[in-house]
Amino acid sequence: MENKNTTIFSNHTIGKLTLKNRLAVAPMTRVSGNEDGTVGPLMKDYYQAFAQGGFGLVITEGIYTDKQYSQGYKFQPGLSDEAQAQSWKPIVDAVHENGAIFIAQLMHAGALSQYNKYTGCNAGPSAVKPLGKEMTFYYGEGDYSTPKSLSKTDIDDAINGFVNAATLAKQAGFDGVEIHGANGYLLDQFITVHTNERSDEYGGALVNRLRIYEEIIRSIRAAVGDDFTVGIRFSQGKVNDFEYKWPGKGEDAKYTFELATKCGVDYIHTTEFVAKEPAFEGGLSLAELAKQHGGVSVIANGSISNEKDATEIIEASQADVVTVGKLALANPDWPNAIKTDQELREFSFDMFDPIADLKTANEFFAKNT
Ligand SMILES: Cc1cc2nc3c(=O)[nH]c(=O)nc-3n(C[C@H](O)[C@H](O)[C@H](O)COP(=O)(O)O)c2cc1C
């Protein structure tokens, strides 16, 4: 008999979109595009499988937005020109034909860029060398380079890049865009105290450190109109600094989520190591803080590994939708597997070895199924 978990298998409306259930695929960089930033040959089947597997919403990998400093990784796809945008169309159609909503994540890597075919260097709010090491499974090696500090013109170019990419995403048929404001990439480098040493209107107090978010959200909204869904992702931890916590013990979270909503986002997507754990010492999770202070739909992410985890978060109204990353890679059909009570496959990091791309993953699955 079919599992009728009405908590996770109920509709939810985000902006003008109605999701058929509360289960979504988290954005995941898979470095499987072509060198020119168009989509690669394995990407259609990859995304289509999540839609066929019953997910109500699929969020793409982080897509770069301009031909200045946004590209982060070799073989990362872009949305910086018509050809790149058009290349997504067959994937968009395949996802839609299989009943899922499809949102493009727009990403500017900033100081964490490991590869840039256009300018050959990285740039961030300030010339601060990033913590940690480049990711080898994305063709990185050794320390990050110290970035160039962005001029005011560079910042305007970066904002325009987000707007252009959002417009191209809409033209390509995506249902919305998610601004990547998390995980240590450019926007997060602006809010993070130790990577932003600016003394202009983009540095110093939180209101200044959030200015680029405000300008991007408002400019995208003005360009795409009210019918196109716009979301934003926030995190405390970063790919190169897992333990980072926002200062202010919840005050910064309140201000940040209120601001994002005021500027016109339709949803806030929070990601923490464990979605349902308190964001600070005790108290609410980051998703719950977003629910409390944002007033828009909230998507929660982080270590959700089964139906029970997902149900608890939705039932307790900690979030409206959950995204899963590694669980979806191992089980692209997770929603259908829940319905038919199938056993879940274990995720293995071997599918990223040596490169976290689709070719390596397909070889891994061919050997292990
Ligand atoms: C291979 C891989 C690539 C990722 N790439 C992105 C990305 O492009 N954008 C993003 O916001 N998060 C990215 N993430 C983070 C995931 O969206 C998610 O936050 C993380 O996997 C934790 O969720 P999980 O515990 O369900 O896996 C990536 C994660 C993985 C495993």
Side-chain angles (χ1 to χ4, degrees):
M1 209 178 58
E2 195 176 269
N3 176 340
K4 297 241 171 48
N5 182 334
T6 51
T7 304
I8 52 175
F9 291 111
S10 61
N11 290 353
H12 178 71
T13 301
I14 296 181
K16 300 279 192 307
L17 300 172
T18 300
L19 278 56
K20 67 180 175 190
N21 60 43
R22 311 303 186 97
L23 307 177
V25 179
M28 282 179 283
T29 292
R30 305 310 307 274
V31 294
S32 297
N34 298 318
E35 180 63 32
D36 63 0
T38 55
V39 307
L42 303 178
M43 289 171 61
K44 183 169 160 221
D45 285 353
Y46 168 73
Y47 282 111
Q48 179 172 275
F50 296 127
Q52 280 172 338
F55 282 97
L57 166 68
V58 180
I59 305 176
T60 68
E61 60 206 283
I63 306 174
Y64 68 83
T65 50
D66 64 43
K67 293 190 165 69
Q68 292 293 311
Y69 305 108
S70 66
Q71 187 178 8
Y73 304 108
K74 195 171 188 178
F75 300 125
Q76 181 186 11
L79 266 173
S80 67
D81 61 34
E82 285 283 330
Q84 292 170 353
Q86 292 304 312
S87 75
W88 278 97
K89 274 199 159 164
I91 305 183
V92 172
D93 290 345
V95 169
H96 284 160
E97 277 157 23
N98 286 284
I101 300 287
F102 202 22
I103 286 183
Q105 190 188 53
L106 307 182
M107 165 171 162
H108 191 306
L112 294 191
S113 173
Q114 303 187 176
Y115 176 85
N116 184 315
K117 94 181 203 94
Y118 305 102
T119 51
C121 71
N122 59 344
S126 303
V128 176
K129 186 181 163 81
L131 300 171
K133 301 278 179 205
E134 291 190 353
M135 285 177 266
T136 52
F137 67 27
Y138 292 148
Y139 301 96
E141 197 187 345
D143 287 2
Y144 288 100
S145 315
T146 301
K148 162 195 145 143
S149 170
L150 293 165
S151 66
K152 173 73 176 96
T153 310
D154 293 330
I155 292 177
D156 288 343
D157 287 347
I159 294 169
N160 289 335
F162 273 94
V163 175
N164 183 48
T167 308
L168 287 170
K170 189 176 176 184
Q171 283 165 14
F174 281 104
D175 300 295
V177 289
E178 174 172 295
I179 301 161
H180 196 346
N183 298 5
Y185 295 104
L186 181 74
L187 304 192
D188 192 36
Q189 290 154 29
F190 274 91
I191 35 172
T192 300
V193 179
H194 65 80
T195 48
N196 184 345
E197 298 180 340
R198 300 181 76 93
S199 53
D200 63 2
E201 68 270 37
Y202 293 97
L206 182 61
V207 54
N208 286 349
R209 287 184 279 121
L210 278 168
R211 190 175 306 279
I212 191 166
Y213 285 82
E214 179 164 3
E215 292 177 350
I216 289 172
I217 299 168
R218 287 194 194 280
S219 311
I220 288 183
R221 178 56 78 203
V224 298
D226 285 340
D227 290 347
F228 193 61
T229 294
V230 179
I232 186 149
R233 190 176 220 215
F234 287 107
S235 68
Q236 299 194 87
K238 308 168 195 321
V239 291
N240 63 329
D241 185 4
F242 301 122
E243 307 292 326
Y244 185 83
K245 291 279 177 194
W246 287 354
K249 295 202 167 41
E251 275 308 302
D252 285 25
K254 177 174 186 293
Y255 185 82
T256 301
F257 297 142
E258 282 175 356
L259 180 86
T261 304
K262 198 173 78 189
C263 293
V265 295
D266 297 302
Y267 74 84
I268 294 171
H269 186 181
T270 58
T271 171
E272 291 264 86
F273 180 56
V274 180
K276 62 186 175 198
E277 286 195 347
F280 305 101
E281 299 111 39
L284 302 181
S285 66
L286 200 63
E288 285 176 294
L289 287 166
K291 279 288 290 178
Q292 191 174 71
H293 301 300
V296 288
S297 292
V298 170
I299 304 181
N301 170 261
S303 302
I304 293 160
S305 54
N306 52 43
E307 178 187 354
K308 183 168 165 283
D309 290 345
T311 308
E312 277 173 9
I313 289 174
I314 305 298
E315 214 158 47
S317 294
Q318 290 204 15
D320 302 294
V321 174
V322 295
T323 53
V324 292
K326 296 182 289 296
L327 178 62
L329 294 183
N331 302 275
D333 60 344
W334 183 47
N336 289 347
I338 295 174
K339 281 190 176 165
T340 52
D341 241 349
Q342 278 171 55
E343 218 175 287
L344 297 183
R345 288 174 291 270
E346 283 279 314
F347 167 80
S348 164
F349 278 101
D350 289 350
M351 77 169 75
F352 300 156
D353 185 17
I355 297 293
D357 64 0
L358 299 178
K359 179 171 170 283
T360 308
N362 289 351
E363 283 163 9
F364 168 85
F365 288 126
K367 253 191 270 155
N368 292 282
T369 43

